[in-house]
Amino acid sequence: MDLSAINPVLLIASLMVAATPLLLAAIGELVVEKSGVLNLGVEGMMITGAIAGFATAVESGSPLLGFVAAAIAGAALSILFAILTQFAQANQVASGLSLTLFGLGLSALLGQSYVGVKPPRMGDIHIPQLSDLPVVGPILFGHDIILYFGIALTAAVWWVLKYSRIGLVLRAVGENHDAAHALGYKVLKIRLMAIMFGGACAGLGGAYISLIRVPQWTEGMTAGIGWIALALVVFSSWKPWRALLGAYLFGGVTVVQLNLQAAGVAIPVEYLAMSPYLITIIVLVILSADKSSAPASLGRNFHASR
Amino acid sequence: MKLTNLLTSAAVALGLAAGAAWAQDKTKVGFVYVGPVGDGGWTYEHDQGRKAVEAEFGDQVETVYVENVAEGPDAERVMTQMALEGADLIFTTSFGYMDPTINVAKKFPNVKFEHATGYKRAGNVSTYSARFYEGRAVQGTIAGHMTESNVVGYIGSYPIPEVIRGINSAYIHAKKVNPDVTFKVVWAFTWFDPAKEADAAKVLIEQGADVILQHTDSTAPQAAAQAAGNVITFGQASDMAEYAPKPRVSSIIDNWAPYYIARTKAVIDGTWESVDTWDGIGPGMVGIGEISDAVPAHVKEAALAIKASIADGSYHPFTGPLKKQDGSDWLAEGEVADDGTLAGMNFYVEGLEGDIPQ
């Protein structure tokens, strides 16, 4: 055992990277669920974003353009879900699941010619002096711009949901769509926007995996992160900062357990392998004891005639 | 005796008649994959084998495959489905499919099954695997020469004999050329999860490894090594040449095509029998990808010498004297490990640190 081999600064810096795709997807889904829609297609939208972002970045040479394309692709795929559930009144659970399957297949098809291609690298932000600070530098000032965007997005979503008028309307729609409709709010329009926002975020999360965290394209590379994001939303009691905490916990424990293994710590590896799931769930379950419940209209379809 | 002879020839005659009748029909060959065909590693190479079967027999065969099949009950469902849909021969290409394959094979005695890397056989179940540890001996030699930090990182998938054998083989040969070398082993508990593999590679690099060996299927560790700079890697299962000449300096390549073609032909001809195949560098089931220019000439020479001596059978990667991790004797001077021990290997050799998860 050689714990001194673990560099805590590098560890924290890399757990932030590991957490970002999860955070982006979870924040998007959180907004969707706050509006009363349950979209189980996060994994499908993520993987579609991963290939769309990857392909665009390779063709254009610009990773940033790749992220834009990923957001658009994720949102576009989510429109399919919106049409099915909001206008055709299809079952949300079934539609979401099929969206995942569709996304996995579509991305494999689109990605055929991109296997083994190397994407252009997204540079880390380098702020003179600040980035060179010991300890704080690599943790706070040495990352790529999307990672900061994820944190900023969390703050923005929190603020909008809590303090802005649009957030209030969104929550009203999610809690009681009939009442919101009676008050004159356009339930379907608001839900459509929320679904698209969720799709765009999931797409960004997917592209973060294919362009920064891994970076390459392989089929099925999101490997279940979309599902973890879904669980994270529930366990975080639909609160943005808790979703951030959960994402960092998950990413953190994943990276820590790999570090412990490499350092030769003699804990049975199966425990280490399941620890990210376990610890994240335990902490969030404890936090969610504050009785804040799911949006009341979650998963229920709305039709103005009823 | 006579009766059995009679019965056998009757059975053969029937089989031939049936074969003739079937000849009009296509032979259907199924493949069950653990990862996506585009993983660039393990499943990719099996799928190349499938394509080779199609190219070889053309209209005589029809191939089907299912990718991303989880090891467990799901695998059983997929195999049953394939058998029900008329597959004559089914290749199940991951260790975890062993029990499901045996279970399904019992239900479909007329369907031939081929399980990769397992050790359970039946009348209609063959097993086949490649001696990857021979390739790992070559890689270990290169790794031992090339490491400057004397720390070699190893990303293991599951603690099964196949993977443990690879770790031991790589370690023994790295140690031979570099007595100071140490191995850091990280278990990913997945065959294919690029994000986790990338994290594992980064962790190993952060902890001082400048050579990364992997027994997982994606090219994510290569990408991580490239980003880190002065780190070398080896292609696993596929050549992964897109990362050459550096970080990927050589590779172990699985070449299943000749085997798949031979076995499909046996089914078409009606000569299929349950066999246990375990071929290595010699017969070409294990290939060594080109050693790139990033490797100095004398290291390349040493690696190729090992490869040649394994190929012609004059050298076995597990040759004594070797001790187990706990210090007990395993192989005496000049003694060679038998296949039974290798197939069930569940211990580290002396010098490796850490425990194998049980």
Side-chain angles (χ1 to χ4, degrees):
Chain A
M1 195 193 306
D2 181 19
L3 285 180
S4 62
I6 301 175
N7 182 334
V9 175
L10 289 178
L11 194 149
I12 294 172
S14 53
L15 82 82
M16 292 172 79
V17 173
T20 298
L22 185 57
L23 175 65
L24 284 167
I27 284 296
E29 178 66 13
L30 189 143
V31 171
V32 178
E33 293 192 12
K34 270 284 180 193
S35 79
V37 178
L38 182 65
N39 184 355
L40 296 181
V42 180
E43 180 85 0
M45 298 186 294
M46 278 187 95
I47 192 81
T48 306
I51 183 57
F54 189 87
T56 309
V58 168
E59 300 302 340
S60 69
S62 158
L64 219 49
L65 212 60
F67 278 103
V68 174
I72 293 172
L77 197 64
S78 72
I79 290 178
L80 198 64
F81 173 82
I83 292 171
L84 283 173
T85 58
Q86 302 307 307
F87 299 107
Q89 300 284 314
N91 179 291
Q92 293 184 6
V93 171
S95 306
L97 290 175
S98 52
L99 193 69
T100 286
L101 296 176
F102 177 66
L104 287 170
L106 180 72
S107 63
L109 182 71
L110 293 174
Q112 272 173 350
S113 54
Y114 289 98
V115 174
V117 178
K118 278 174 266 180
R121 276 198 70 199
M122 178 97 159
D124 290 342
I125 294 178
H126 190 89
I127 309 161
Q129 279 146 12
L130 279 181
S131 297
D132 301 327
L133 286 175
V135 184
V136 186
I139 294 176
L140 292 183
F141 305 109
H143 293 290
D144 55 272
I145 191 156
I146 306 297
L147 188 145
Y148 299 112
F149 178 75
I151 299 170
L153 195 67
T154 310
V157 165
W158 167 75
W159 187 86
V160 167
L161 284 179
K162 200 167 164 105
Y163 296 111
S164 78
R165 183 185 151 75
I166 178 98
L168 198 66
V169 173
L170 185 95
R171 276 157 50 206
V173 167
E175 290 298 340
N176 189 336
H177 49 217
D178 293 319
H181 176 68
L183 286 171
Y185 297 125
K186 303 263 183 275
V187 173
L188 291 187
K189 191 177 142 200
I190 288 162
R191 286 191 171 163
L192 178 67
M193 301 307 266
I195 291 170
M196 284 173 65
F197 176 79
C201 289
L204 281 178
Y208 194 85
I209 299 176
S210 66
L211 286 174
I212 295 178
R213 188 163 167 216
V214 173
Q216 61 172 359
W217 166 251
T218 34
E219 279 175 37
M221 67 184 309
T222 47
I225 292 178
W227 297 108
I228 297 168
L230 273 168
L232 195 57
V233 175
V234 177
F235 287 121
S236 66
S237 311
W238 294 267
K239 290 188 165 60
W241 290 116
R242 283 195 195 163
L244 179 102
L245 174 74
Y248 275 29
L249 260 175
F250 188 87
V253 185
T254 305
V255 175
V256 168
Q257 70 96 351
L258 288 168
N259 263 292
L260 287 177
Q261 278 198 51
V265 174
I267 304 171
V269 190
E270 290 87 344
Y271 293 115
L272 292 175
M274 69 181 171
S275 55
Y277 304 88
L278 219 55
I279 292 179
T280 309
I281 288 172
I282 290 172
V283 169
L284 291 172
V285 163
I286 293 169
L287 283 181
S288 65
D290 69 357
K291 298 281 185 283
S292 36
S293 54
S297 294
L298 184 59
R300 285 171 49 206
N301 280 350
F302 170 73
H303 194 273
S305 65
R306 277 198 292 244
Chain B
M1 185 70 185
K2 264 190 178 160
L3 183 68
T4 42
N5 272 345
L6 198 68
L7 281 176
T8 318
S9 40
V12 169
L14 273 175
L16 284 179
W22 274 75
Q24 315 300 328
D25 245 340
K26 286 182 177 183
T27 300
K28 195 164 179 180
V29 188
F31 293 80
V32 185
Y33 297 142
V34 71
V37 293
D39 69 352
W42 177 261
T43 296
Y44 173 80
E45 288 299 328
H46 283 285
D47 201 52
Q48 293 302 107
R50 180 187 67 84
K51 286 178 180 159
V53 168
E54 282 201 328
E56 176 79 17
F57 298 107
D59 287 342
Q60 272 185 288
V61 297
E62 179 194 349
T63 66
V64 289
Y65 68 87
V66 180
E67 50 187 340
N68 279 322
V69 178
E71 298 178 334
D74 213 26
E76 217 162 308
R77 187 182 59 76
V78 169
M79 289 169 205
T80 308
Q81 185 73 23
M82 267 186 187
L84 286 174
E85 281 171 4
D88 303 290
L89 173 65
I90 298 176
F91 292 97
T92 59
T93 64
S94 189
F95 180 79
Y97 297 156
M98 181 160 65
D99 293 330
T101 304
I102 297 287
N103 293 345
V104 178
K106 266 186 209 146
K107 288 185 250 167
F108 297 94
N110 296 324
V111 179
K112 317 282 186 253
F113 290 84
E114 300 255 352
H115 178 236
T117 74
Y119 52 79
K120 291 185 185 167
R121 288 201 293 142
N124 59 336
V125 181
S126 283
T127 52
Y128 65 102
S129 184
R131 296 179 186 268
F132 303 115
Y133 66 87
E134 297 186 350
R136 302 230 171 245
V138 179
Q139 297 188 343
T141 306
I142 300 174
H145 276 293
M146 296 291 284
T147 179
E148 279 165 23
S149 63
N150 289 330
V151 179
V152 173
Y154 203 113
I155 306 171
S157 46
Y158 295 95
I160 57 171
E162 165 68 43
V163 179
I164 295 166
R165 221 160 38 226
I167 296 171
N168 281 333
S169 178
Y171 177 74
I172 290 166
H173 294 88
K175 186 92 176 168
K176 249 180 206 166
V177 296
N178 179 354
D180 297 326
V181 81
T182 55
F183 270 39
K184 276 182 193 281
V185 182
V186 162
W187 298 96
F189 282 89
T190 175
W191 286 113
F192 179 78
D193 180 346
K196 196 165 189 186
E197 292 170 51
D199 284 346
K202 279 178 207 157
V203 161
L204 288 166
I205 293 165
E206 280 165 15
Q207 294 204 16
D210 62 353
V211 177
I212 301 287
L213 290 156
Q214 71 184 92
H215 205 137
T216 48
D217 297 346
S218 86
T219 51
Q222 272 70 28
Q226 194 161 48
N230 207 20
V231 177
I232 62 165
T233 64
F234 298 85
Q236 158 71 8
S238 279
D239 195 41
M240 303 187 177
E242 62 268 27
Y243 288 96
K246 222 182 162 198
R248 169 240 172 258
V249 296
S250 182
S251 58
I252 300 182
I253 304 172
D254 312 349
N255 184 12
W256 306 108
Y259 183 78
Y260 286 173
I261 289 170
R263 301 304 286 172
T264 305
K265 185 156 176 34
V267 168
I268 293 174
D269 298 346
T271 57
W272 190 95
E273 279 179 351
S274 170
V275 293
D276 179 27
T277 306
W278 202 13
D279 283 342
I281 290 179
M285 199 179 252
V286 175
I288 300 294
E290 196 199 351
I291 299 170
S292 77
D293 299 338
V295 178
H298 72 279
V299 177
K300 186 172 175 175
E301 216 168 279
L304 289 177
I306 287 251
K307 180 191 168 192
S309 66
I310 293 174
D312 65 20
S314 59
Y315 174 71
H316 190 289
F318 289 101
T319 305
L322 281 174
K323 288 185 175 190
K324 294 186 183 179
Q325 189 186 32
D326 57 13
S328 61
D329 290 326
W330 177 34
L331 297 172
E333 176 81 44
E335 195 186 343
V336 168
D338 61 275
D339 279 359
T341 314
L342 290 182
M345 187 175 266
N346 59 355
F347 58 87
Y348 280 152
V349 294
E350 187 180 39
L352 275 168
E353 288 163 19
D355 297 314
I356 300 170
Q358 294 302 323

